[in-house]
Amino acid sequence: MTERLVEKSSAAGIGWDLSDLYAGTDDPLLNRDLEVALRRAKDFERDYRGKIRDEEGLTPVKLFEALTEYENILEQVGRVLSYTHLLHAAQSDDQERGALLQSVRERSTDIRKHLIFFELEWLEVPESRAESLLGAPEISRYRHYLEKELHFRLHRLTEPEEKILEEKANTGSRAFVRLFDETLSAARFQIECDGEVREMNEQQVLALLYHPDQDQRRAASEGLTGGLRSHSQLLTYIFNVVVLDHKVDDGLRSYQTPMASRNLSNEIDQEVVDTLLTASESGHDIVQRYYRFKARLLGLDRLFDYDRYAPTFPDPPACGWERSRSIVETAYSGFDERAGEIVRAFFKNSWIDADPRLGKRGGAFCSSTVPSVHPYILVNYTDRIRDVMTVAHELGHGIHQSLGSERGYLQSNSPLTLAETASVFGEMLVFHRLMELETDPEVRLGLLCSKLEDAFATAFRQVVLTRFEQKLHAARREEGELSADRIGHLWIEANRPMHGDSVELTENYSCWWMYIPHFIHTPFYCYAYAFGELLVLALYQKYREEGRDFVPRYFNLLSAGGSEAPEILLKKMGVDITDSDFFKGGLGILREMLEEAEDLGKAIHK
């Protein structure tokens, strides 16, 4: 018998209120904003075309006026795009929402075509004149934005070419991103266990991998694999197209390596990225030592890939939505009341969608929307302790984005290298709050193991995902279109060094690359997670040493948004990202946590 199972959750019915953006899809302001933005974009083109490159006529005041109007137009369009994106994420299997999102993307492209000239003309300003303008106090608000744009001077095309690429993206890469999201949101996975067949969505089957019973975890593994393989042809094609599209873009824009464009956006050198990746890989012994320890805790001779997230004790405590809210609010308020106020606003004003309903996009994210509104958070809450950490993580993003909004649309968001700072820091705050509340040694060990596993998922696994992407893009460029089996081989090849002989990677695991959205949405995003994890471990240690003196500098870091380069901002925090010892220092903290877990395990099993 097959039945549809909607997993019970205390967050059932907890959805977001998007009315701060628009009252609904029939809100006349939605269409009006696009019409006004198009008119403003045409006026902007009429008023400023040819004048930005005019070395004699471009004064700092005129440049400031142009930047202000340019930013305001982008924010007006961004408001509509944010709204339709959030609607679609909340119910990705709704065709009307998908059609609305596509329509808005097409209309935003029409608007963007009238603005492209501005960026290109700024790149044509002679270097000496650009330096003079950048030094003018009148444009200090936009200085870093303009500096960053100049870094792309060698990679921008002519205006007609840029317009073509912008318009074709709606039927190219963006279309395939939407297809990927809708395919995974609509996918159903058959889970057979104890003679019963249950139907789950992606989020539910992934949650089952945390079940205390190994048979349930094995069934989840087989069900996830079966569901992915039923979509293998389509998902493999999507991956091939997106990777090929990336190659074409790199060729057109003269990027020498697949990671070059992401590094430039992140304002980080490849040498620093390589240092990060190598430092992370030097800590694989920590991961393997932990998994051997976990196998002993679980009474297993060896761990399989589907055992990695098993709870260390049979009955891990559940955590309902309201208790989660209390824990998270208290943890953030204990750090600083300003953080607590922002967190309370998310819960009080329904800026969070937590219901794990069918058709909703899987995973979790925080959308910054536009500076004049506020961020929104999507999570799929299933009453597990680790879901509390997910809420804490996304609220960290919410705090970061809320504080950065003061910098305006063009500079509110930090590059990916710093984007995970507040989220991972928030996880640490909530983890320590949970440890303070818990007195049961077994539960404390479970919390500690869960936190280690979360740290491994960022400090190590995200580097594995980056290595996989490197292999994937290289193979696609050298070999042409890749089969699912070939990609699966690359996936296992990238995963094996982290796990060593401590975890057996099954044949099923070879296709689990298919459901990871970062590869499709934002190629080479993943190393930013590892950067953020190791950075936060160092910053959190500073917080423990400095106490309240640390807090103002931390808030200054978050409030800066993207108004300065990460290297400069972090130097103000006493961090040198070019120093490999910085990354390795974070690994040392993980070793200490592992030793604490091992000692606690010995005490429990005396």
Side-chain angles (χ1 to χ4, degrees):
M1 176 182 177
T2 301
E3 64 176 353
R4 181 174 299 280
L5 175 68
V6 178
E7 188 173 326
K8 293 181 180 179
S9 167
S10 61
I14 301 296
W16 48 32
D17 177 3
L18 301 180
S19 61
D20 287 340
L21 289 167
Y22 294 98
T25 55
D26 58 350
D27 187 339
L29 291 178
L30 196 153
N31 183 63
R32 192 208 67 176
D33 278 353
L34 290 174
E35 290 178 345
V36 171
L38 178 60
R39 184 172 66 251
R40 292 174 71 183
K42 290 179 178 178
D43 291 344
F44 182 84
E45 183 177 25
R46 182 199 63 218
D47 294 340
Y48 291 104
R49 176 177 285 279
K51 296 179 181 177
I52 305 302
R53 67 164 68 95
D54 181 4
E55 190 170 351
E56 297 296 328
L58 182 62
T59 65
V61 172
K62 285 185 178 179
L63 181 56
F64 175 80
E65 291 172 351
L67 282 162
T68 301
E69 176 63 5
Y70 176 70
E71 181 175 54
N72 289 338
I73 296 169
L74 291 178
E75 176 157 354
Q76 190 168 29
V77 178
R79 189 185 187 108
V80 185
L81 280 169
S82 294
Y83 177 70
T84 53
H85 161 69
L86 292 172
L87 277 180
H88 184 254
Q91 206 65 44
S92 297
D93 59 355
D94 186 315
Q95 292 185 355
E96 289 186 5
R97 296 186 182 199
L100 177 62
L101 175 62
Q102 182 65 19
S103 172
V104 169
R105 283 176 173 172
E106 291 171 7
R107 293 179 69 180
S108 68
T109 292
D110 290 338
I111 295 167
R112 173 108 177 107
K113 286 190 296 184
H114 295 283
L115 304 175
I116 288 175
F117 81 91
F118 176 73
E119 300 165 358
L120 297 177
E121 286 197 18
W122 168 245
L123 298 185
E124 293 177 21
V125 174
E127 186 173 343
S128 59
R129 178 59 179 156
E131 289 180 1
S132 174
L133 289 166
L134 289 171
E138 292 89 342
I139 62 162
S140 59
R141 174 177 173 82
Y142 297 106
R143 180 175 296 116
H144 190 60
Y145 166 75
L146 292 171
E147 289 174 339
K148 284 195 301 181
E149 285 298 302
L150 292 175
H151 295 159
F152 290 88
R153 194 192 296 266
L154 299 177
H155 307 291
R156 297 301 297 270
L157 306 179
T158 65
E159 186 178 345
E161 291 169 325
E162 291 288 355
K163 286 183 175 179
I164 291 171
L165 289 177
E166 172 65 25
E167 194 153 9
K168 290 293 289 181
N170 290 321
T171 54
S173 58
R174 293 173 193 156
F176 281 98
V177 168
R178 176 184 164 191
L179 179 60
F180 174 86
D181 286 347
E182 293 186 357
T183 299
L184 268 296
S185 293
R188 297 295 176 261
F189 302 87
Q190 305 297 319
I191 311 301
E192 184 174 358
C193 196
D194 298 329
E196 179 185 9
V197 176
R198 295 175 292 173
E199 186 173 85
M200 296 185 177
N201 65 9
E202 176 198 357
Q203 203 62 31
Q204 292 164 342
V205 72
L206 290 175
L208 197 58
L209 290 171
Y210 295 83
H211 198 282
D213 183 78
Q214 189 180 43
D215 289 339
Q216 295 277 350
R217 297 194 300 273
R218 186 183 299 111
S221 170
E222 292 171 355
L224 177 62
T225 301
L228 291 174
R229 285 181 174 160
S230 70
H231 295 285
S232 175
Q233 184 173 4
L234 175 59
L235 292 173
T236 301
Y237 183 68
I238 291 173
F239 267 72
N240 272 284
V241 169
V242 169
V243 174
L244 177 60
D245 184 77
H246 191 86
K247 174 190 174 183
V248 171
D249 273 353
D250 283 349
L252 291 172
R253 298 188 181 282
S254 301
Y255 288 113
Q256 299 305 308
T257 66
M259 293 183 72
S261 59
R262 177 63 54 211
N263 293 343
L264 198 58
S265 296
N266 287 348
E267 300 183 76
I268 192 170
D269 294 331
Q270 184 64 48
E271 292 77 8
V272 176
V273 177
D274 291 338
T275 299
L276 164 68
L277 300 182
T278 303
S280 169
E281 289 165 338
S282 73
H284 283 168
D285 65 299
I286 305 173
V287 182
Q288 294 165 22
R289 176 177 155 188
Y290 170 76
Y291 283 139
R292 294 188 187 98
F293 166 66
K294 183 166 186 174
R296 294 194 298 272
L297 285 178
L298 297 176
L300 300 174
D301 292 332
R302 67 183 294 103
L303 290 184
F304 293 93
D305 48 69
Y306 51 79
D307 294 320
R308 290 170 300 159
Y309 303 121
T312 52
F313 293 96
D315 299 307
C319 187
W321 177 250
E322 287 303 319
R323 182 166 183 261
S324 169
R325 172 178 177 171
S326 175
I327 291 169
V328 172
E329 286 184 358
T330 302
Y332 274 108
S333 295
F335 172 70
D336 187 84
E337 186 52 37
R338 182 159 45 148
E341 288 177 3
I342 296 173
V343 165
R344 282 192 291 274
F346 275 87
F347 288 107
K348 179 181 178 181
N349 299 318
S350 298
W351 298 344
I352 304 176
D353 190 318
D355 187 349
R357 61 189 171 275
L358 294 172
K360 178 181 175 181
R361 176 176 159 180
F365 66 77
C366 181
S367 172
S368 59
T369 66
V370 292
S372 57
V373 185
H374 52 75
Y376 281 95
I377 287 172
L378 179 145
V379 295
N380 285 273
Y381 197 84
T382 57
D383 291 5
R384 300 171 301 159
I385 284 290
R386 68 175 298 105
D387 291 338
V388 182
M389 303 301 289
T390 301
V391 173
H393 180 99
E394 299 307 333
L395 282 166
H397 282 306
I399 291 171
H400 196 170
Q401 292 165 1
S402 297
L403 294 173
S405 66
E406 302 168 6
R407 302 293 176 172
Y409 189 85
L410 293 176
Q411 297 185 131
S412 58
N413 291 322
S414 62
L416 295 182
T417 36
L418 291 182
E420 297 301 325
T421 305
S423 54
V424 180
F425 196 91
E427 285 188 54
M428 291 294 288
L429 292 172
V430 171
F431 165 68
H432 284 287
R433 175 59 181 165
L434 286 168
M435 291 291 282
E436 289 171 2
L437 292 172
E438 191 53 62
T439 57
D440 186 321
E442 291 191 350
V443 177
R444 286 177 60 83
L445 177 57
L447 289 171
L448 191 54
C449 288
S450 179
K451 181 56 187 169
L452 277 167
E453 290 168 13
D454 287 343
F456 292 169
T458 47
F460 300 109
R461 185 169 181 266
Q462 298 301 324
V463 169
V464 167
L465 300 188
T466 302
R467 292 300 194 195
F468 166 70
E469 280 191 280
Q470 289 177 326
K471 293 175 183 293
L472 175 67
H473 283 255
R476 181 65 177 85
R477 294 182 182 203
E478 294 170 6
E479 304 170 22
E481 186 162 305
L482 305 172
S483 67
D485 287 343
R486 176 62 176 137
I487 300 176
H489 173 78
L490 298 174
W491 173 251
I492 294 294
E493 190 178 69
N495 274 270
R496 189 167 285 120
M498 170 179 161
H499 297 95
D501 62 0
S502 66
V503 175
E504 183 171 330
L505 301 178
T506 64
E507 176 61 28
N508 283 343
Y509 192 67
S510 66
C511 71
W512 287 14
W513 50 271
M514 294 183 187
Y515 73 85
I516 300 176
H518 291 96
F519 302 148
I520 303 299
H521 285 248
T522 317
F524 297 104
Y525 184 120
C526 293
Y527 73 75
Y529 283 111
F531 187 100
E533 180 71 33
L534 296 177
L535 168 62
V536 164
L537 288 171
L539 292 180
Y540 199 81
Q541 184 61 31
K542 285 180 176 291
Y543 167 54
R544 295 174 71 177
E545 293 169 355
E546 300 174 10
R548 304 301 305 172
D549 291 340
F550 172 87
V551 176
R553 289 187 292 121
Y554 178 72
F555 273 103
N556 287 338
L557 172 67
L558 302 187
S559 299
S563 62
E564 286 188 274
E567 186 173 348
I568 294 173
L569 289 173
L570 289 175
K571 278 185 177 179
K572 296 177 182 179
M573 300 293 295
V575 172
D576 181 2
I577 63 174
T578 65
D579 184 357
S580 62
D581 288 341
F582 150 64
F583 297 112
K584 292 179 180 177
L587 298 180
I589 296 174
L590 294 180
R591 291 184 195 277
E592 293 174 8
M593 292 174 65
L594 175 54
E595 289 170 3
E596 182 182 353
E598 289 172 333
D599 290 342
L600 192 52
K602 290 175 184 177
I604 291 172
H605 293 287
K606 275 185 179 179

